[in-house]
Amino acid sequence: MTTVPLPTSAAGDWTPDSWRSRPAVQQPEWPDAAALADSLGEIRAMPPLVFAGEARSLREQLEAAGEGRAFLLVAGDCAESFEAFSADAIRDKLKVILQMSVVLTYGSGVPTIKVGRMAGQFSKPRSSPVEVRDGVELPSFRGDTVNDFAFEAAARRPDPRRLVRAYHQSAATLNLVRAFTKGGFADLTRVHAWNQEFVAATPEGQRYETLAGEIERALRFMEACGIDLHAELQMHQVDFWVAHEALLLEYEEALTRRDSLSGDWYDCSAHMLWIGERTRQLDGAHVEFLAGVHNPVGVKLGAEVGPDDVVGLCQALNPTREPGRLVLFTRMGADRVGEALPPLIRAVQAANHPVVWACDPMHANTFSHASGYKTRRFDDIMRELHGFFAVCEAADVRPGGVHVELTGENVTECLGGSDSVLDHHLEERYETMCDPRLNAFQSLDLAFEVAALLQR
Ligand code: PEP
Ligand code: CO
């Protein structure tokens, strides 16, 4: 039996700061407590970034994903950056996510729930608190919310003003995303316009053009039948949600607000939050914090997690067994998923917990290339996805979604894909601040393969 203390939400005495009584790993050591308090006070006084009602709508959609009536796509940068922040970058990321979701929906026949790793995905857990280069030891880069990427002592010093800047950049990002997705950019009649030039020249881009052509013909057919597509709101607007890893609990706490309608607490920094592989300790601060907020939450699960721990997480984070509340993102590696995932599914089924099973095929397939770059092979990513779908099918659970790291730009960070990025290409456009991302045509390639898996 597990002897870890239950989150305080079980006893009804959870508060936004009750996580402070539990061990919190992966937190920065802020050198100036007064400056930190100032920044957090400023954020506490700011408006929420999302609203409780939106988080509830997402929860309803995730309930459908758990039952095979929808499919979740979480996608975006490993780490957003202050420097690479631009309207073009946001637009291009949105384009590729919209393209992927069209491919997925067309293939699967069910709606795609679009969630951007955006508007708050800044903070990174690190395998070591320090980084050593040529005998010089400095604090690790923890994401733009904490310190600067440059390998210099002053740059690596945690600076709490960065939390405030992250809040404002998140607000600006979300504002643009809302404008794009509600203001006509995501209109289904613009399905061709999302194919960027450099993508259109690739086999995936051409495959997408063919599909977009079929959609256009279908729309014209509906119009010819007298259906007024202009009157259909669904044609012109899409729901687009944002999510990030709830890593820096001081920041998350500062944006946690009580919903005036339900009286429940919501973390209003994003629609959905997730707990990373390194911070999912049952008795830890991250589980305690997310247990008390009512947003949909996710947990990353590596190959080493045990069935008891997973059931413990379900119990802690979703004691009332609310469908759509909890997404389990497995990230086990192409070679491990077949053996590591089935016992977890059996345990969760036996405990009768409704969860959305989703696959992050990125994080356990990362390796250091001989050239020094951290990379991933497209083939390994696809092998993990195939393994995940096979395990779900054998266990009779619905594959509920995928979680990928991508960018709309033409980077060369992951190897392979049908318009291949080869070993010697890595150095050409390796731009990520953290993990290697799929570029736009690799992302489309993945969407076509996942659509085929969903069709089976
Ligand atoms: C991430 O999603 O960028 C990440 C760090 O993932 P994980 O917690 O699964 O390692
Ligand atoms: Co990552």
Side-chain angles (χ1 to χ4, degrees):
M1 268 316 281
T2 157
T3 52
V4 294
L6 279 174
T8 56
S9 59
D13 50 7
W14 182 93
T15 55
D17 67 353
S18 54
W19 62 270
R20 291 175 186 267
S21 64
R22 303 282 171 100
V25 292
Q26 295 283 347
Q27 304 302 293
E29 285 178 25
W30 303 103
D32 182 343
L36 174 66
D38 277 355
S39 288
L40 292 174
E42 207 171 315
I43 295 168
R44 227 184 303 277
M46 293 288 164
L49 292 172
V50 306
F51 302 103
E54 296 180 295
R56 279 193 290 272
S57 300
L58 175 58
R59 194 205 56 73
E60 279 165 24
Q61 295 191 9
L62 290 170
E63 178 174 352
E67 295 163 1
R69 294 182 287 110
F71 192 73
L72 168 67
L73 171 63
V74 184
D77 285 310
C78 179
E80 287 175 285
S81 104
F82 290 168
E83 202 183 294
F85 176 49
S86 76
D88 287 0
I90 295 168
R91 182 203 56 209
D92 291 347
K93 209 165 298 154
L94 204 59
K95 276 185 181 172
V96 72
I97 296 175
L98 290 172
Q99 284 187 292
M100 290 175 81
S101 69
V102 160
V103 170
L104 289 168
T105 300
Y106 199 73
S108 66
V110 298
T112 304
I113 306 167
K114 296 166 274 296
V115 179
R117 280 176 69 113
M118 276 178 156
Q121 175 51 32
F122 293 99
S123 311
K124 299 311 299 175
R126 304 315 310 235
S127 42
S128 165
V130 292
E131 182 181 347
V132 182
R133 283 193 210 170
D134 302 326
V136 180
E137 184 183 289
L138 290 178
S140 291
F141 171 60
R142 288 184 179 275
D144 271 351
T145 29
V146 178
N147 53 6
D148 193 281
F149 190 60
F151 192 74
E152 288 154 24
R156 288 292 170 92
R157 197 178 132 95
D159 173 4
R161 291 307 300 166
R162 290 174 161 272
L163 295 170
V164 179
R165 183 162 172 194
Y167 168 86
H168 288 294
Q169 183 166 319
S170 299
T173 302
L174 202 50
N175 182 55
L176 192 62
V177 165
R178 289 187 196 277
F180 276 141
T181 54
K182 301 292 179 193
F185 182 82
D187 194 307
L188 204 50
T189 58
R190 290 176 47 89
V191 65
H192 277 293
W194 306 331
N195 212 9
Q196 301 184 68
E197 255 168 58
F198 78 90
V199 181
T202 64
E204 300 76 33
Q206 282 156 19
R207 203 170 160 194
Y208 175 80
E209 279 298 320
T210 306
L211 187 150
E214 284 173 30
I215 292 175
E216 261 186 355
R217 264 197 305 284
L219 293 178
R220 278 205 301 273
F221 172 75
M222 284 159 70
E223 256 174 345
C225 293
I227 297 167
D228 181 5
L229 296 178
H230 293 284
E232 294 293 327
L233 201 60
Q234 307 293 336
M235 285 287 306
H236 313 298
Q237 300 193 346
V238 297
D239 286 334
F240 193 95
W241 316 99
V242 297
H244 61 258
E245 177 173 350
L247 185 71
L248 291 192
L249 294 174
E250 286 150 331
Y251 178 82
E252 303 302 334
E253 177 194 327
L255 281 166
T256 295
R257 312 288 161 86
R258 202 192 268 279
D259 172 35
S260 56
L261 283 180
S262 61
D264 291 332
W265 291 98
Y266 284 83
D267 180 349
C268 296
S269 71
H271 300 109
M272 174 172 163
L273 290 310
W274 75 84
I275 306 181
E277 163 74 357
R278 293 167 190 77
T279 51
R280 58 170 165 70
Q281 299 77 20
L282 272 175
D283 57 352
H286 293 80
V287 170
E288 164 66 21
F289 175 74
L290 283 181
V293 296
H294 283 68
N295 309 61
V297 299
V299 185
K300 297 283 204 86
L301 301 175
E304 305 301 332
V305 68
D308 289 350
D309 281 335
V310 177
V311 173
L313 285 163
C314 294
Q315 195 54 42
L317 293 166
N318 192 17
T320 56
R321 293 179 163 75
E322 208 182 335
R325 152 76 172 167
L326 183 59
V327 182
L328 298 179
F329 293 109
T330 67
R331 30 88 83 218
M332 305 190 149
D335 296 328
R336 301 286 306 275
V337 61
E339 127 269 331
L341 181 54
L344 307 188
I345 296 184
R346 279 196 296 274
V348 171
Q349 281 172 328
N352 207 15
H353 268 284
V355 302
V356 179
W357 290 101
C359 179
D360 163 358
M362 313 294 290
H363 283 91
N365 294 309
T366 317
F367 67 98
S368 282
H369 189 261
S371 59
Y373 289 104
K374 191 157 89 162
T375 188
R376 295 159 171 159
R377 291 185 203 287
F378 186 81
D379 284 354
D380 292 338
I381 292 168
M382 283 319 308
R383 272 201 304 128
E384 176 154 2
L385 279 167
H386 278 265
F388 172 80
F389 273 77
V391 169
C392 287
E393 192 179 346
D396 202 23
V397 302
R398 299 300 186 139
V402 294
H403 184 145
V404 291
E405 288 180 343
L406 59 73
T407 168
E409 279 137 79
N410 190 8
V411 300
T412 53
E413 297 170 6
C414 291
L415 294 167
S418 55
D419 203 64
S420 277
V421 174
L422 304 173
D423 293 56
H424 66 273
H425 292 140
L426 282 181
E427 62 180 22
E428 286 177 6
R429 288 179 304 279
Y430 193 97
E431 294 164 13
T432 182
M433 282 216 311
C434 197
D435 290 337
R437 303 159 297 175
L438 298 171
N439 61 28
F441 49 84
Q442 288 169 329
S443 303
L444 262 189
D445 205 353
L446 179 139
F448 277 113
E449 291 217 30
V450 171
L453 284 167
L454 281 167
Q455 250 166 354
R456 279 212 222 137

